[in-house]
Amino acid sequence: MRGHNLPPAFPSIAQLGADLRHGRTTSTALVRDCLERIAAHDGVFKSFIAVYAAQALAAAERLDAELRAGHDRGALHGIPVALKDLIDIQGQPTTAGSPLLADNVAARDAAIVQRMHALGAIIIGKTHMVQFALGAWGTNAHMDTPRNPAGHAADTLVPGGSSSGSAVAVAARLVPWAIGSDTGGSVRVPAAFCGVVGLKPTIDALPRDGVYALSKTLDSLGLFASSVDDAQQCFGALAGAGVGLAGHGRLRIGVLPPDELTGLEPAVAQSLASSLAQLQAAGHELVAFRFPAPLAEFRAPTNAIMIAEGAAVNAAFLDDPALPMDPSVRPRLIAARSTSAVQYLQAQASALLWQQQFAREMDRLQLAAIAMPVTAMAAPRVQDVDHDVAPVHFSRPVNFLALCGISLPAGQDADARPIGLQLVGRAGQDHALLALAAAVAAVISPSPVCSVEVCDAS
């Protein structure tokens, strides 16, 4: 076995920006560093489907010249980023994780790409994902499964999905931050499994024009970063200014009752209990909170919307069994065709009703956010995955209720597998959630996930 250590951690986004502005580095140097990291390590981690070296270096040179001339585009000026491969970049294919879309070359940039160009962010490349974004374990039978850099060296842990490559690219320290999408947990689950921060903003807080959809009703663009501060810097630049956390000091945070926390792996349960105890010790008040329905009851209506809409988007690929479709994806999309119009409309009506009930209960209890698990388990090995069970029990309600949520690193188990803590905020209160997450991250102080040796057969 031959070991591969992770590259050094990046400075914070704020520090990189300060270094650029004070001449301690250049955007060209940052891009070259990312390209060297990818060349040296992504053969193991398999996070990138495409790397745009020439374009990124040309953009870096232009942005360096702008800074020298006094033109500063803001916090993301000259900072490299990776994008999930369901986002259109003009002249590049958008595969959505499927060889069926290998020739799907974008005619124009997605709205988020246009915004990034205006802000001076530099797109290094596109990252692997689950086919059609339909899967939370992160595997892909035809386009490669990125390798989670966490855990013991001999393990091949799932990265989480569907934004698998974006999470791995940040966790493996190949780029400072990355964009993903989240329909039922597709940012938060891989963030938890890989030990990074994953933000699922409110729907359309980041524009979705030019993004290959799974579910127009439930999709959100989100982002991965190494810290909450980095997530705040990146989201703040992309989404613009917003209202921060109201009040200071003691916060009222909702927690799930014990009957909603059955089935947690012991390490996940211990991590959650430890995080909540630390919040209480810091003076924050924990208040029992129930969602408008038991969490298990979110599964059927979420699927009635998400997979039915996904089946409509990908209808052209479903009838020919010879087409290369992931065996964990095709059966679910075909089964979704049996969803009736009545079931779909009832699910939409339930979503609206439960959204209103959630908001009223948050108001009644005067809660800043809900603290809960991201998943019931740490990342399993690829060979142990059960594709009939998705790890989204705790994440899907956030999409169904059109809320914002974030996954924070909250420790690791005895096998060095990361465990996440999820904070859930109200719709439209993304900036407040990020401010709360910064306060929580400062309190829970999880054991850091160290640089893990990843081995492959020699």
Side-chain angles (χ1 to χ4, degrees):
M1 302 291 286
R2 184 162 48 89
H4 298 264
N5 293 323
L6 297 181
F10 287 99
S12 70
I13 299 290
Q15 185 61 58
L16 288 174
D19 289 345
L20 283 168
R21 286 160 184 80
H22 289 89
R24 294 186 289 267
T25 190
T26 63
S27 180
T28 302
L30 295 181
V31 168
R32 289 192 185 281
D33 181 31
C34 289
L35 294 174
E36 289 168 3
R37 291 172 185 239
I38 293 166
H41 297 279
D42 207 45
V44 171
F45 296 120
K46 300 178 181 178
S47 60
F48 281 88
I49 187 172
V51 177
Y52 309 133
Q55 298 94 317
L57 286 167
E61 291 175 2
R62 290 195 302 272
L63 289 160
D64 283 335
E66 285 186 8
L67 268 189
R68 288 193 298 269
H71 181 196
D72 189 338
R73 295 173 182 258
L76 299 182
H77 187 120
I79 305 295
V81 62
L83 269 58
K84 184 177 182 178
D85 190 26
L86 46 57
I87 299 171
D88 284 348
I89 297 176
Q90 185 176 12
Q92 302 294 343
T94 300
T95 74
S98 175
L100 296 168
L101 293 170
D103 296 326
N104 179 36
V105 176
R108 60 185 61 83
D109 288 333
I112 192 70
V113 172
Q114 295 175 29
R115 190 168 295 184
M116 286 182 165
H117 288 329
L119 294 167
I122 299 176
I123 298 169
I124 289 288
K126 283 192 176 183
T127 55
H128 280 290
M129 56 179 284
V130 176
Q131 188 176 52
F132 302 141
L134 186 57
W137 294 114
T139 58
N140 188 313
H142 299 101
M143 301 281 283
D144 249 340
T145 297
R147 185 168 184 170
N148 189 336
H152 291 312
D155 290 335
T156 305
L157 303 178
V158 296
S162 62
S163 307
S164 51
S166 289
V168 170
V170 173
R173 302 170 181 171
L174 306 183
V175 288
W177 69 294
I179 293 287
S181 68
D182 190 310
T183 309
S186 289
V187 166
R188 289 158 292 149
V189 170
F193 281 175
C194 292
V196 296
V197 172
L199 172 68
K200 177 248 178 271
T202 305
I203 292 174
D204 289 328
L206 300 179
R208 293 184 290 163
D209 293 345
V211 177
Y212 195 92
L214 171 58
S215 167
K216 288 288 189 181
T217 300
L218 303 175
D219 290 348
S220 294
L221 283 182
L223 63 88
F224 297 91
S226 297
S227 68
V228 177
D229 181 67
D230 281 1
Q232 285 180 298
Q233 291 280 330
C234 297
F235 180 77
L238 289 171
V243 178
L245 187 63
H248 300 280
R250 189 182 193 193
L251 299 169
R252 287 171 61 85
I253 298 173
V255 295
L256 299 182
D259 62 287
E260 287 282 32
L261 295 171
T262 58
L264 298 182
E265 281 187 354
V268 175
Q270 292 165 12
S271 174
L272 177 65
S274 174
S275 295
L276 296 180
Q278 290 176 77
L279 287 171
Q280 224 167 6
H284 302 303
E285 184 178 1
L286 304 183
V287 180
F289 176 86
R290 286 189 181 274
F291 277 77
L295 298 184
E297 293 185 12
F298 281 82
R299 182 177 184 271
T302 301
N303 284 347
I305 295 171
M306 176 181 71
I307 304 182
E309 291 182 350
V313 170
N314 299 293
F317 307 127
L318 300 185
D319 292 324
D320 184 352
L323 293 179
M325 287 190 67
D326 196 296
S328 68
V329 172
R330 184 196 296 274
R332 298 170 68 196
L333 292 177
I334 290 176
R337 286 175 158 178
S338 65
T339 302
S340 69
V342 170
Q343 289 172 314
Y344 179 82
L345 292 173
Q346 285 176 335
Q348 293 280 6
S350 292
L352 180 58
L353 176 63
W354 291 357
Q355 288 163 17
Q356 294 167 346
Q357 291 174 344
F358 178 91
R360 284 199 298 269
E361 188 68 356
M362 291 286 283
D363 288 341
R364 185 181 73 82
L365 297 174
Q366 298 181 318
L367 299 180
I370 311 301
M372 57 194 286
V374 183
T375 60
M377 77 295 291
R381 295 178 301 172
V382 170
Q383 59 267 36
D384 296 334
V385 162
D386 180 357
H387 287 288
D388 292 328
V389 180
V392 295
H393 178 76
F394 294 104
S395 58
R396 68 160 68 93
V398 178
N399 301 80
F400 192 74
L401 299 178
L403 307 172
C404 54
I406 189 169
S407 175
L408 308 178
Q412 55 184 315
D413 69 6
D415 293 318
R417 299 181 303 163
I419 296 168
L421 175 68
Q422 181 175 204
L423 299 173
V424 178
R426 307 181 196 212
Q429 296 195 2
D430 307 270
H431 291 281
L433 179 68
L434 281 162
L436 173 70
V440 170
V443 167
I444 63 175
S445 301
S447 302
V449 179
C450 356
S451 299
V452 180
E453 184 184 67
V454 177
C455 299
D456 60 4
S458 57

